[in-house]
Amino acid sequence: MKRQPLRLAILEATRILEDAGVESPRNDAELLAAHVLGVERGRLPMVPLVDPPVIDAIGQLAAQRAKRVPLQHLTGWAALGGITVGVGPGVFVPRPETELLLEWGLELLRGREYPVVVDLCAGSGALALAVANARPDAVVYAVDNDPHALAWARHNADARAEAGDTPIRLYSGDVGDSSIFTELDGLVDLVLCNPPYVPPGGELPPEVIDHDPPQAVFAAEGGLAVFRHAVGTAARLLKPGGGLAIEHDDTHGSAAPTLVSARKVLTGVEDHLDLTGRPRFVTARRAATAPSDGASRAGG
Ligand SMILES: C[S@@+](CC[C@H](N)C(=O)[O-])C[C@H]1O[C@@H](n2cnc3c(N)ncnc32)[C@H](O)[C@@H]1O
């Protein structure tokens, strides 16, 4: 068969994705085409004609995407900060919502040499690895309690170390375990956390419900159980002046900062919007002097 215009294959894929209710059909069609061709998306206009097997491959991927398989599972990667990480079945796909949380954390580290950073709820390792990429002098720890997520994180950590980034320290553990990282008590400059936070039963698109691991998405106590544990752990780990940034559901714009404020050692509590303008993450600093923590009154 003859070579055909790539443009038409992308238009056809866009139409299929639009009909399937995919949120950004043109974007996804172009990224799938770029994936098949092994080029950056920006270089697609330089590929006017393609062979029939390329058209077939784009069509097959579009058909899977139309069944609402996440784009990132089809391409095999997701981006956060300055890096990409491998993702697929068994691990949460990093979201653009988390970019501003990462930015806040990197800003906090500005001017601090050899900072100690902890990523609670590491998933693919995206946050921890993005920090290690941006700050080669940082000592970055990351923890998750899911062996499947940890396998992805290990794979990604190895790939980033091979690319020249400072290796991160990955651990298996539960953020609610009071013995986790006790060797770092009062020594940490920055705690970042994107915990599972969707209230059980919450409505979500098929990409999330059918493909993100449920333990990465949902949390008990109306979505705040892991969040609450992570805040308690952060209060213990942070050094005076150290900072916490922790993500939350967009329905927790008031409950999340209230939970953080209940820890008396955490001050300057502020809620932030994400790139779409929704309440998304709380930040706080550990008090310079140590008042007694409100831990017991906060319930954990
Ligand atoms: C929303 S994902 C975040 C992944 C990654 N930080 C990101 O932003 O892409 C939450 C992660 O928390 C992990 N997790 C859930 N409960 C946990 C707990 N109690 N202790 C440690 N990790 C937990 C899940 O396995 C999942 O990988």
Side-chain angles (χ1 to χ4, degrees):
M1 272 175 36
K2 281 200 322 186
R3 305 192 91 204
Q4 297 173 27
L6 174 63
R7 188 175 48 85
L8 293 186
I10 292 177
L11 276 179
E12 174 60 7
T14 304
R15 189 192 58 73
I16 291 169
L17 301 187
E18 215 163 32
D19 288 351
V22 169
E23 203 176 308
S24 42
R26 177 76 192 201
N27 169 74
D28 289 20
E30 288 188 2
L31 284 169
L32 291 176
H35 173 66
V36 169
L37 288 162
V39 299
E40 302 244 334
R41 182 185 180 183
R43 298 191 71 82
L44 289 176
M46 285 158 220
V47 186
L49 294 173
V50 287
D51 292 322
V54 170
I55 304 281
D56 285 350
I58 294 172
Q60 279 168 26
L61 285 174
Q64 286 190 65
R65 182 73 190 97
K67 288 185 190 149
R68 309 299 293 269
V69 176
L71 172 73
Q72 298 84 349
H73 282 204
L74 297 173
T75 61
W77 59 270
L80 189 72
I83 63 162
T84 60
V85 289
V87 291
V91 75
F92 182 85
V93 174
R95 307 287 208 273
E97 283 94 314
T98 309
E99 291 284 355
L100 295 182
L101 176 149
L102 171 66
E103 259 180 36
W104 185 92
L106 292 175
E107 186 57 36
L108 180 109
L109 295 184
R110 201 189 280 256
R112 296 179 186 230
E113 288 188 341
Y114 305 102
V116 179
V117 180
V118 174
D119 174 5
L120 301 172
C121 297
S124 63
L127 267 174
L129 292 166
V131 171
N133 176 259
R135 286 296 303 263
D137 62 329
V139 184
V140 183
Y141 296 78
V143 64
D144 203 287
N145 66 352
D146 176 3
H148 301 291
L150 279 170
W152 280 101
R154 289 222 164 83
H155 164 81
N156 288 324
D158 289 348
R160 292 304 321 162
E162 233 170 76
D165 285 357
T166 309
I168 64 167
R169 302 168 187 209
L170 262 179
Y171 292 85
S172 170
D174 192 306
V175 300
D177 179 348
S178 59
S179 67
I180 193 173
F181 292 140
T182 42
E183 69 281 13
L184 298 177
D185 279 3
L187 297 177
V188 174
D189 291 275
L190 172 67
V191 173
L192 296 178
C193 181
N194 179 14
Y197 53 63
V198 177
E203 254 190 50
L204 294 166
E207 285 87 347
V208 182
I209 287 287
D210 298 338
H211 298 279
D212 275 325
Q215 67 275 15
V217 175
F218 299 104
E221 298 175 24
L224 285 164
V226 183
F227 181 100
R228 185 170 58 81
H229 286 308
V231 171
T233 300
R236 170 168 61 78
L237 295 179
L238 288 173
K239 61 160 69 156
L244 162 68
I246 179 165
E247 199 166 307
H248 61 71
D249 192 66
D250 56 5
T251 61
H252 293 151
S254 142
T258 301
L259 258 176
V260 177
S261 301
R263 295 277 167 176
K264 297 300 171 210
V265 295
L266 296 177
T267 60
V269 177
E270 236 186 289
D271 201 49
H272 302 255
L273 306 179
D274 64 19
L275 293 166
T276 67
R278 296 190 179 95
R280 187 58 65 196
F281 68 100
V282 188
T283 59
R285 298 285 202 103
R286 197 185 199 288
T289 52
S292 66
D293 193 4
S296 51
R297 270 174 296 132

PDB file of all heavy atoms in Angstrom, residues 22 67 115 200 214 255:
ATOM      1  N   VAL A  22     -13.159  11.276  25.324  1.00  0.00           N
ATOM      2  CA  VAL A  22     -11.831  11.567  25.892  1.00  0.00           C
ATOM      3  C   VAL A  22     -11.676  13.086  26.007  1.00  0.00           C
ATOM      4  O   VAL A  22     -12.062  13.831  25.090  1.00  0.00           O
ATOM      5  CB  VAL A  22     -10.726  10.954  24.997  1.00  0.00           C
ATOM      6  CG1 VAL A  22      -9.346  11.452  25.393  1.00  0.00           C
ATOM      7  CG2 VAL A  22     -10.790   9.434  25.064  1.00  0.00           C
ATOM      8  N   LYS A  67     -11.199   3.182  24.640  1.00  0.00           N
ATOM      9  CA  LYS A  67     -11.763   2.351  25.730  1.00  0.00           C
ATOM     10  C   LYS A  67     -11.354   2.909  27.085  1.00  0.00           C
ATOM     11  O   LYS A  67     -11.519   2.250  28.110  1.00  0.00           O
ATOM     12  CB  LYS A  67     -11.261   0.911  25.591  1.00  0.00           C
ATOM     13  CG  LYS A  67     -11.882   0.185  24.414  1.00  0.00           C
ATOM     14  CD  LYS A  67     -11.439  -1.271  24.413  1.00  0.00           C
ATOM     15  CE  LYS A  67     -11.830  -1.958  23.131  1.00  0.00           C
ATOM     16  NZ  LYS A  67     -10.888  -3.006  22.744  1.00  0.00           N
ATOM     17  N   PRO A 115      19.919  19.904  51.278  1.00  0.00           N
ATOM     18  CA  PRO A 115      18.681  19.712  52.041  1.00  0.00           C
ATOM     19  C   PRO A 115      18.274  18.241  52.114  1.00  0.00           C
ATOM     20  O   PRO A 115      18.582  17.457  51.213  1.00  0.00           O
ATOM     21  CB  PRO A 115      17.644  20.503  51.227  1.00  0.00           C
ATOM     22  CG  PRO A 115      18.176  20.473  49.830  1.00  0.00           C
ATOM     23  CD  PRO A 115      19.673  20.509  49.954  1.00  0.00           C
ATOM     24  N   PRO A 200     -14.239   7.634  49.678  1.00  0.00           N
ATOM     25  CA  PRO A 200     -14.761   6.389  49.100  1.00  0.00           C
ATOM     26  C   PRO A 200     -16.108   6.639  48.435  1.00  0.00           C
ATOM     27  O   PRO A 200     -16.943   7.370  48.965  1.00  0.00           O
ATOM     28  CB  PRO A 200     -14.900   5.459  50.308  1.00  0.00           C
ATOM     29  CG  PRO A 200     -13.940   6.001  51.312  1.00  0.00           C
ATOM     30  CD  PRO A 200     -13.887   7.483  51.090  1.00  0.00           C
ATOM     31  N   PRO A 214      -6.652   1.350  43.501  1.00  0.00           N
ATOM     32  CA  PRO A 214      -7.595   1.993  44.442  1.00  0.00           C
ATOM     33  C   PRO A 214      -6.906   2.547  45.685  1.00  0.00           C
ATOM     34  O   PRO A 214      -7.285   3.606  46.188  1.00  0.00           O
ATOM     35  CB  PRO A 214      -8.565   0.868  44.816  1.00  0.00           C
ATOM     36  CG  PRO A 214      -8.268  -0.286  43.936  1.00  0.00           C
ATOM     37  CD  PRO A 214      -7.030  -0.029  43.152  1.00  0.00           C
ATOM     38  N   ALA A 255     -11.278  21.445  55.224  1.00  0.00           N
ATOM     39  CA  ALA A 255     -10.928  20.376  56.182  1.00  0.00           C
ATOM     40  C   ALA A 255      -9.418  20.125  56.221  1.00  0.00           C
ATOM     41  O   ALA A 255      -8.849  19.895  57.303  1.00  0.00           O
ATOM     42  CB  ALA A 255     -11.648  19.080  55.802  1.00  0.00           C
TER      43      ALA A 255
END
